Amino acid sequence: MTYTSPDRVLVTGGAGFIGSHLCERLLGGGAEVVCVDNYYTGRRENIRTLLGHPRFETVRHDVTFPLYAEVDRIYNLACPASPIHYQFDPVQTTKTSVVGAINMLGLAKRLKVPILQASTSEVYGDPDVHPQPEGYWGRVNPVGIRSCYDEGKRCAETLFFDYRRQHGLAIKVIRIFNTYGPRMHPDDGRVVSNFICQALKGEPITLYGDGAQTRSFCYVDDLVDGMIATMATPDAFTGPVNLGNPGEFTMRELAEIVRELVGSSVAIVHRPLPPDDPRQRKPDIAKAQAELGWTPKVPLREGLSRTIVYFDTLLGTGRTARGEPDRVAAIR
C-alpha cells in the first residue's frame, strides 16, 4: 500500500521501531514528514538513512509538553512499548500516554486535522474472550506492574473519543497486536527479539512459564499498511480497529521456529511467568478486513527470517550472509 498525498505529516515516536518504518513509507509516498521523538527508546540509527532526505525533518521533543507545528495529519505513536522500558519509569509512561494524548489532540484540534492514536492489544489485558474483537472491554488489572502502559493506553482511547464527541475531531484509533521486524531494540525484552538474540549468540532461549501461552505476531510492513489504510478512511470511521496477524503460536512453538531458522541447537530453559502476563492473545480482524480491505500478508517464518538477518548484522554474529535490504533508493 502506498501513501500518495503531498501532505505534511507529523509522526510522534518517529525514531522508534514502528515509527521509523512509518516515516520511511510516508516519504516513499511523497509526503513531507516531521519526526518527533525524545529518544527515550527511539534511536537515531533507526532513521539514519532518512536524515538527508529533503522532505524529512526531526524534532527532539517530549510529547508530555505542548508542541507547536503546522501539519496536515498526525500519527501519535509516542510511548515506550516493551515491559522493560515502560516499567522502568511507570509514572512517565502514564504521562506519555495521557498527557501526550492531550497535547497531540490539542494540536490536532487547533489545526483541524485528523489524528491517529497507536493504541494496543494490551487494552484487553488477560482476556477471557478469545480471539479479541474490538467490542470486548478487556480484563485489565488497574494496579499491577503493567498498568502504567495498559491503563495509560485505555485512558488515551477515552480522550480520543471524547475529543471526537465534544469537538468533532477527526480521530482514528488502532489497536496494535505483537509486531516484530528489523529495527527492534535488541534489549527491549520482547519475546521475538529475546529469542532471536539468544539463539544467534548461542545462549539458552528463555521461556517464561510453561511456554503454552499464545501470541499472534504481525510483521512490521503489514502493520504499516494497516496504519496508512486506517488514516485514509472517511471521517465517519474512527475505529477502534485491531491490527495484527491472527496466526496464533505458543511461546514454545516460536522458540522452536527461531532455533530452526537460526540453525541453532541451544537449550530452552524455563523461568517464572511475570505478573499479569496474558495467557493468550489473538486479534479478531474482521473489522479491518471489512473497513480497510486489510489482511496481513507476511507469514511468520518469512518475517522471522528477515528479522534474523537484521539482528545477525546488528550483533555481528555472522550466521547470515546479508544485512537488512536497503530501501533508501526507493524513497529518494
PDB file of all heavy atoms in Angstrom, residues 293-320:
ATOM      1  N   GLY A 293     -10.049  -3.222   3.998  1.00  0.00           N
ATOM      2  CA  GLY A 293      -9.562  -4.143   2.967  1.00  0.00           C
ATOM      3  C   GLY A 293      -8.167  -4.642   3.291  1.00  0.00           C
ATOM      4  O   GLY A 293      -7.368  -4.922   2.404  1.00  0.00           O
ATOM      5  N   TRP A 294      -7.885  -4.787   4.590  1.00  0.00           N
ATOM      6  CA  TRP A 294      -6.530  -5.101   5.045  1.00  0.00           C
ATOM      7  C   TRP A 294      -6.461  -6.497   5.647  1.00  0.00           C
ATOM      8  O   TRP A 294      -7.290  -6.879   6.480  1.00  0.00           O
ATOM      9  CB  TRP A 294      -6.093  -4.097   6.110  1.00  0.00           C
ATOM     10  CG  TRP A 294      -4.737  -4.365   6.706  1.00  0.00           C
ATOM     11  CD1 TRP A 294      -3.521  -3.978   6.217  1.00  0.00           C
ATOM     12  CD2 TRP A 294      -4.457  -5.070   7.930  1.00  0.00           C
ATOM     13  NE1 TRP A 294      -2.516  -4.406   7.046  1.00  0.00           N
ATOM     14  CE2 TRP A 294      -3.054  -5.084   8.100  1.00  0.00           C
ATOM     15  CE3 TRP A 294      -5.267  -5.705   8.882  1.00  0.00           C
ATOM     16  CZ2 TRP A 294      -2.438  -5.687   9.195  1.00  0.00           C
ATOM     17  CZ3 TRP A 294      -4.657  -6.319   9.968  1.00  0.00           C
ATOM     18  CH2 TRP A 294      -3.262  -6.303  10.126  1.00  0.00           C
ATOM     19  N   THR A 295      -5.480  -7.249   5.212  1.00  0.00           N
ATOM     20  CA  THR A 295      -5.146  -8.540   5.799  1.00  0.00           C
ATOM     21  C   THR A 295      -3.630  -8.671   5.767  1.00  0.00           C
ATOM     22  O   THR A 295      -3.014  -8.375   4.731  1.00  0.00           O
ATOM     23  CB  THR A 295      -5.767  -9.705   5.010  1.00  0.00           C
ATOM     24  OG1 THR A 295      -7.187  -9.560   4.999  1.00  0.00           O
ATOM     25  CG2 THR A 295      -5.420 -11.051   5.645  1.00  0.00           C
ATOM     26  N   PRO A 296      -2.991  -9.081   6.862  1.00  0.00           N
ATOM     27  CA  PRO A 296      -1.530  -9.236   6.827  1.00  0.00           C
ATOM     28  C   PRO A 296      -1.119 -10.299   5.826  1.00  0.00           C
ATOM     29  O   PRO A 296      -1.808 -11.300   5.640  1.00  0.00           O
ATOM     30  CB  PRO A 296      -1.181  -9.646   8.264  1.00  0.00           C
ATOM     31  CG  PRO A 296      -2.458 -10.138   8.858  1.00  0.00           C
ATOM     32  CD  PRO A 296      -3.565  -9.413   8.174  1.00  0.00           C
ATOM     33  N   LYS A 297       0.035 -10.061   5.186  1.00  0.00           N
ATOM     34  CA  LYS A 297       0.478 -10.923   4.091  1.00  0.00           C
ATOM     35  C   LYS A 297       1.744 -11.722   4.409  1.00  0.00           C
ATOM     36  O   LYS A 297       2.000 -12.733   3.770  1.00  0.00           O
ATOM     37  CB  LYS A 297       0.732 -10.078   2.839  1.00  0.00           C
ATOM     38  CG  LYS A 297      -0.478  -9.315   2.317  1.00  0.00           C
ATOM     39  CD  LYS A 297      -0.117  -8.510   1.079  1.00  0.00           C
ATOM     40  CE  LYS A 297      -1.338  -7.790   0.512  1.00  0.00           C
ATOM     41  NZ  LYS A 297      -1.857  -6.781   1.458  1.00  0.00           N
ATOM     42  N   VAL A 298       2.559 -11.258   5.341  1.00  0.00           N
ATOM     43  CA  VAL A 298       3.870 -11.876   5.573  1.00  0.00           C
ATOM     44  C   VAL A 298       3.746 -13.016   6.579  1.00  0.00           C
ATOM     45  O   VAL A 298       3.412 -12.794   7.750  1.00  0.00           O
ATOM     46  CB  VAL A 298       4.887 -10.839   6.086  1.00  0.00           C
ATOM     47  CG1 VAL A 298       6.246 -11.493   6.320  1.00  0.00           C
ATOM     48  CG2 VAL A 298       5.013  -9.684   5.101  1.00  0.00           C
ATOM     49  N   PRO A 299       4.021 -14.265   6.156  1.00  0.00           N
ATOM     50  CA  PRO A 299       3.960 -15.391   7.090  1.00  0.00           C
ATOM     51  C   PRO A 299       5.041 -15.276   8.162  1.00  0.00           C
ATOM     52  O   PRO A 299       6.070 -14.620   7.964  1.00  0.00           O
ATOM     53  CB  PRO A 299       4.210 -16.620   6.193  1.00  0.00           C
ATOM     54  CG  PRO A 299       4.051 -16.148   4.787  1.00  0.00           C
ATOM     55  CD  PRO A 299       4.385 -14.691   4.790  1.00  0.00           C
ATOM     56  N   LEU A 300       4.809 -15.929   9.294  1.00  0.00           N
ATOM     57  CA  LEU A 300       5.728 -15.810  10.418  1.00  0.00           C
ATOM     58  C   LEU A 300       7.148 -16.232  10.052  1.00  0.00           C
ATOM     59  O   LEU A 300       8.107 -15.525  10.390  1.00  0.00           O
ATOM     60  CB  LEU A 300       5.228 -16.649  11.606  1.00  0.00           C
ATOM     61  CG  LEU A 300       6.096 -16.599  12.859  1.00  0.00           C
ATOM     62  CD1 LEU A 300       6.157 -15.184  13.434  1.00  0.00           C
ATOM     63  CD2 LEU A 300       5.576 -17.588  13.916  1.00  0.00           C
ATOM     64  N   ARG A 301       7.312 -17.351   9.384  1.00  0.00           N
ATOM     65  CA  ARG A 301       8.661 -17.817   9.058  1.00  0.00           C
ATOM     66  C   ARG A 301       9.402 -16.826   8.166  1.00  0.00           C
ATOM     67  O   ARG A 301      10.597 -16.591   8.360  1.00  0.00           O
ATOM     68  CB  ARG A 301       8.601 -19.197   8.391  1.00  0.00           C
ATOM     69  CG  ARG A 301       8.308 -20.330   9.366  1.00  0.00           C
ATOM     70  CD  ARG A 301       8.203 -21.659   8.652  1.00  0.00           C
ATOM     71  NE  ARG A 301       8.046 -22.744   9.613  1.00  0.00           N
ATOM     72  CZ  ARG A 301       9.049 -23.404  10.160  1.00  0.00           C
ATOM     73  NH1 ARG A 301      10.299 -23.109   9.826  1.00  0.00           N
ATOM     74  NH2 ARG A 301       8.835 -24.363  11.043  1.00  0.00           N
ATOM     75  N   GLU A 302       8.691 -16.244   7.208  1.00  0.00           N
ATOM     76  CA  GLU A 302       9.337 -15.268   6.316  1.00  0.00           C
ATOM     77  C   GLU A 302       9.735 -14.019   7.093  1.00  0.00           C
ATOM     78  O   GLU A 302      10.844 -13.500   6.951  1.00  0.00           O
ATOM     79  CB  GLU A 302       8.394 -14.907   5.177  1.00  0.00           C
ATOM     80  CG  GLU A 302       8.961 -13.882   4.200  1.00  0.00           C
ATOM     81  CD  GLU A 302       7.992 -13.516   3.102  1.00  0.00           C
ATOM     82  OE1 GLU A 302       7.048 -14.286   2.837  1.00  0.00           O
ATOM     83  OE2 GLU A 302       8.172 -12.440   2.491  1.00  0.00           O
ATOM     84  N   GLY A 303       8.822 -13.516   7.919  1.00  0.00           N
ATOM     85  CA  GLY A 303       9.134 -12.322   8.704  1.00  0.00           C
ATOM     86  C   GLY A 303      10.260 -12.563   9.691  1.00  0.00           C
ATOM     87  O   GLY A 303      11.129 -11.707   9.878  1.00  0.00           O
ATOM     88  N   LEU A 304      10.262 -13.733  10.331  1.00  0.00           N
ATOM     89  CA  LEU A 304      11.344 -14.048  11.260  1.00  0.00           C
ATOM     90  C   LEU A 304      12.680 -14.144  10.542  1.00  0.00           C
ATOM     91  O   LEU A 304      13.713 -13.692  11.064  1.00  0.00           O
ATOM     92  CB  LEU A 304      11.048 -15.365  11.988  1.00  0.00           C
ATOM     93  CG  LEU A 304       9.974 -15.330  13.065  1.00  0.00           C
ATOM     94  CD1 LEU A 304       9.716 -16.731  13.607  1.00  0.00           C
ATOM     95  CD2 LEU A 304      10.346 -14.388  14.208  1.00  0.00           C
ATOM     96  N   SER A 305      12.677 -14.713   9.343  1.00  0.00           N
ATOM     97  CA  SER A 305      13.933 -14.817   8.588  1.00  0.00           C
ATOM     98  C   SER A 305      14.516 -13.437   8.304  1.00  0.00           C
ATOM     99  O   SER A 305      15.723 -13.211   8.451  1.00  0.00           O
ATOM    100  CB  SER A 305      13.691 -15.570   7.272  1.00  0.00           C
ATOM    101  OG  SER A 305      13.326 -16.916   7.525  1.00  0.00           O
ATOM    102  N   ARG A 306      13.656 -12.492   7.910  1.00  0.00           N
ATOM    103  CA  ARG A 306      14.129 -11.121   7.659  1.00  0.00           C
ATOM    104  C   ARG A 306      14.656 -10.488   8.954  1.00  0.00           C
ATOM    105  O   ARG A 306      15.671  -9.773   8.937  1.00  0.00           O
ATOM    106  CB  ARG A 306      12.986 -10.264   7.112  1.00  0.00           C
ATOM    107  CG  ARG A 306      12.406 -10.722   5.785  1.00  0.00           C
ATOM    108  CD  ARG A 306      11.291  -9.776   5.377  1.00  0.00           C
ATOM    109  NE  ARG A 306      10.491 -10.303   4.277  1.00  0.00           N
ATOM    110  CZ  ARG A 306       9.425  -9.684   3.775  1.00  0.00           C
ATOM    111  NH1 ARG A 306       9.038  -8.523   4.285  1.00  0.00           N
ATOM    112  NH2 ARG A 306       8.739 -10.229   2.785  1.00  0.00           N
ATOM    113  N   THR A 307      13.965 -10.751  10.040  1.00  0.00           N
ATOM    114  CA  THR A 307      14.357 -10.160  11.325  1.00  0.00           C
ATOM    115  C   THR A 307      15.659 -10.769  11.827  1.00  0.00           C
ATOM    116  O   THR A 307      16.506 -10.071  12.404  1.00  0.00           O
ATOM    117  CB  THR A 307      13.227 -10.352  12.348  1.00  0.00           C
ATOM    118  OG1 THR A 307      11.988  -9.911  11.783  1.00  0.00           O
ATOM    119  CG2 THR A 307      13.511  -9.569  13.621  1.00  0.00           C
ATOM    120  N   ILE A 308      15.849 -12.049  11.606  1.00  0.00           N
ATOM    121  CA  ILE A 308      17.096 -12.715  11.992  1.00  0.00           C
ATOM    122  C   ILE A 308      18.274 -12.115  11.241  1.00  0.00           C
ATOM    123  O   ILE A 308      19.350 -11.884  11.822  1.00  0.00           O
ATOM    124  CB  ILE A 308      16.984 -14.236  11.750  1.00  0.00           C
ATOM    125  CG1 ILE A 308      16.059 -14.862  12.792  1.00  0.00           C
ATOM    126  CG2 ILE A 308      18.367 -14.898  11.800  1.00  0.00           C
ATOM    127  CD1 ILE A 308      15.629 -16.279  12.465  1.00  0.00           C
ATOM    128  N   VAL A 309      18.103 -11.841   9.947  1.00  0.00           N
ATOM    129  CA  VAL A 309      19.174 -11.209   9.169  1.00  0.00           C
ATOM    130  C   VAL A 309      19.540  -9.862   9.780  1.00  0.00           C
ATOM    131  O   VAL A 309      20.724  -9.520   9.932  1.00  0.00           O
ATOM    132  CB  VAL A 309      18.743 -11.040   7.693  1.00  0.00           C
ATOM    133  CG1 VAL A 309      19.733 -10.151   6.934  1.00  0.00           C
ATOM    134  CG2 VAL A 309      18.626 -12.390   7.011  1.00  0.00           C
ATOM    135  N   TYR A 310      18.530  -9.078  10.153  1.00  0.00           N
ATOM    136  CA  TYR A 310      18.788  -7.768  10.757  1.00  0.00           C
ATOM    137  C   TYR A 310      19.594  -7.909  12.051  1.00  0.00           C
ATOM    138  O   TYR A 310      20.615  -7.233  12.245  1.00  0.00           O
ATOM    139  CB  TYR A 310      17.465  -7.055  11.043  1.00  0.00           C
ATOM    140  CG  TYR A 310      17.629  -5.837  11.925  1.00  0.00           C
ATOM    141  CD1 TYR A 310      18.120  -4.641  11.403  1.00  0.00           C
ATOM    142  CD2 TYR A 310      17.333  -5.892  13.286  1.00  0.00           C
ATOM    143  CE1 TYR A 310      18.293  -3.527  12.217  1.00  0.00           C
ATOM    144  CE2 TYR A 310      17.506  -4.785  14.095  1.00  0.00           C
ATOM    145  CZ  TYR A 310      17.988  -3.599  13.559  1.00  0.00           C
ATOM    146  OH  TYR A 310      18.166  -2.503  14.367  1.00  0.00           O
ATOM    147  N   PHE A 311      19.156  -8.777  12.956  1.00  0.00           N
ATOM    148  CA  PHE A 311      19.845  -8.921  14.231  1.00  0.00           C
ATOM    149  C   PHE A 311      21.230  -9.534  14.063  1.00  0.00           C
ATOM    150  O   PHE A 311      22.158  -9.196  14.802  1.00  0.00           O
ATOM    151  CB  PHE A 311      19.006  -9.746  15.202  1.00  0.00           C
ATOM    152  CG  PHE A 311      17.947  -8.962  15.913  1.00  0.00           C
ATOM    153  CD1 PHE A 311      16.601  -9.247  15.732  1.00  0.00           C
ATOM    154  CD2 PHE A 311      18.288  -7.929  16.771  1.00  0.00           C
ATOM    155  CE1 PHE A 311      15.627  -8.516  16.393  1.00  0.00           C
ATOM    156  CE2 PHE A 311      17.331  -7.185  17.437  1.00  0.00           C
ATOM    157  CZ  PHE A 311      15.990  -7.485  17.241  1.00  0.00           C
ATOM    158  N   ASP A 312      21.369 -10.416  13.105  1.00  0.00           N
ATOM    159  CA  ASP A 312      22.685 -11.005  12.854  1.00  0.00           C
ATOM    160  C   ASP A 312      23.677  -9.923  12.436  1.00  0.00           C
ATOM    161  O   ASP A 312      24.821  -9.884  12.898  1.00  0.00           O
ATOM    162  CB  ASP A 312      22.571 -12.076  11.759  1.00  0.00           C
ATOM    163  CG  ASP A 312      23.895 -12.763  11.492  1.00  0.00           C
ATOM    164  OD1 ASP A 312      24.611 -13.083  12.452  1.00  0.00           O
ATOM    165  OD2 ASP A 312      24.218 -12.979  10.311  1.00  0.00           O
ATOM    166  N   THR A 313      23.226  -9.014  11.564  1.00  0.00           N
ATOM    167  CA  THR A 313      24.078  -7.901  11.142  1.00  0.00           C
ATOM    168  C   THR A 313      24.362  -6.956  12.303  1.00  0.00           C
ATOM    169  O   THR A 313      25.503  -6.519  12.503  1.00  0.00           O
ATOM    170  CB  THR A 313      23.406  -7.124   9.993  1.00  0.00           C
ATOM    171  OG1 THR A 313      23.142  -8.015   8.911  1.00  0.00           O
ATOM    172  CG2 THR A 313      24.296  -5.985   9.508  1.00  0.00           C
ATOM    173  N   LEU A 314      23.331  -6.667  13.097  1.00  0.00           N
ATOM    174  CA  LEU A 314      23.480  -5.745  14.231  1.00  0.00           C
ATOM    175  C   LEU A 314      24.448  -6.297  15.268  1.00  0.00           C
ATOM    176  O   LEU A 314      25.304  -5.574  15.795  1.00  0.00           O
ATOM    177  CB  LEU A 314      22.108  -5.498  14.866  1.00  0.00           C
ATOM    178  CG  LEU A 314      22.051  -4.495  16.011  1.00  0.00           C
ATOM    179  CD1 LEU A 314      22.283  -3.079  15.496  1.00  0.00           C
ATOM    180  CD2 LEU A 314      20.704  -4.584  16.728  1.00  0.00           C
ATOM    181  N   LEU A 315      24.320  -7.589  15.567  1.00  0.00           N
ATOM    182  CA  LEU A 315      25.139  -8.202  16.612  1.00  0.00           C
ATOM    183  C   LEU A 315      26.489  -8.689  16.099  1.00  0.00           C
ATOM    184  O   LEU A 315      27.388  -8.992  16.888  1.00  0.00           O
ATOM    185  CB  LEU A 315      24.385  -9.387  17.234  1.00  0.00           C
ATOM    186  CG  LEU A 315      23.054  -9.066  17.916  1.00  0.00           C
ATOM    187  CD1 LEU A 315      22.356 -10.351  18.346  1.00  0.00           C
ATOM    188  CD2 LEU A 315      23.255  -8.142  19.100  1.00  0.00           C
ATOM    189  N   GLY A 316      26.629  -8.790  14.771  1.00  0.00           N
ATOM    190  CA  GLY A 316      27.880  -9.260  14.195  1.00  0.00           C
ATOM    191  C   GLY A 316      28.171 -10.712  14.476  1.00  0.00           C
ATOM    192  O   GLY A 316      29.334 -11.109  14.600  1.00  0.00           O
ATOM    193  N   THR A 317      27.109 -11.533  14.542  1.00  0.00           N
ATOM    194  CA  THR A 317      27.316 -12.942  14.857  1.00  0.00           C
ATOM    195  C   THR A 317      27.673 -13.781  13.635  1.00  0.00           C
ATOM    196  O   THR A 317      28.103 -14.926  13.774  1.00  0.00           O
ATOM    197  CB  THR A 317      26.057 -13.525  15.529  1.00  0.00           C
ATOM    198  OG1 THR A 317      24.893 -13.163  14.773  1.00  0.00           O
ATOM    199  CG2 THR A 317      25.908 -12.989  16.937  1.00  0.00           C
ATOM    200  N   GLY A 318      27.459 -13.232  12.434  1.00  0.00           N
ATOM    201  CA  GLY A 318      27.949 -13.880  11.219  1.00  0.00           C
ATOM    202  C   GLY A 318      27.223 -15.138  10.800  1.00  0.00           C
ATOM    203  O   GLY A 318      27.767 -15.967  10.076  1.00  0.00           O
ATOM    204  N   ARG A 319      25.960 -15.299  11.203  1.00  0.00           N
ATOM    205  CA  ARG A 319      25.231 -16.503  10.819  1.00  0.00           C
ATOM    206  C   ARG A 319      24.518 -16.359   9.472  1.00  0.00           C
ATOM    207  O   ARG A 319      24.082 -17.337   8.893  1.00  0.00           O
ATOM    208  CB  ARG A 319      24.205 -16.871  11.892  1.00  0.00           C
ATOM    209  CG  ARG A 319      24.831 -17.474  13.139  1.00  0.00           C
ATOM    210  CD  ARG A 319      23.754 -17.879  14.126  1.00  0.00           C
ATOM    211  NE  ARG A 319      24.336 -18.607  15.258  1.00  0.00           N
ATOM    212  CZ  ARG A 319      24.443 -19.917  15.324  1.00  0.00           C
ATOM    213  NH1 ARG A 319      24.052 -20.661  14.299  1.00  0.00           N
ATOM    214  NH2 ARG A 319      24.959 -20.505  16.387  1.00  0.00           N
ATOM    215  N   THR A 320      24.329 -15.124   9.001  1.00  0.00           N
ATOM    216  CA  THR A 320      23.693 -14.909   7.706  1.00  0.00           C
ATOM    217  C   THR A 320      24.633 -14.099   6.841  1.00  0.00           C
ATOM    218  O   THR A 320      25.544 -13.434   7.315  1.00  0.00           O
ATOM    219  CB  THR A 320      22.352 -14.177   7.855  1.00  0.00           C
ATOM    220  OG1 THR A 320      22.581 -12.901   8.470  1.00  0.00           O
ATOM    221  CG2 THR A 320      21.386 -14.969   8.702  1.00  0.00           C
TER     222      THR A 320
END
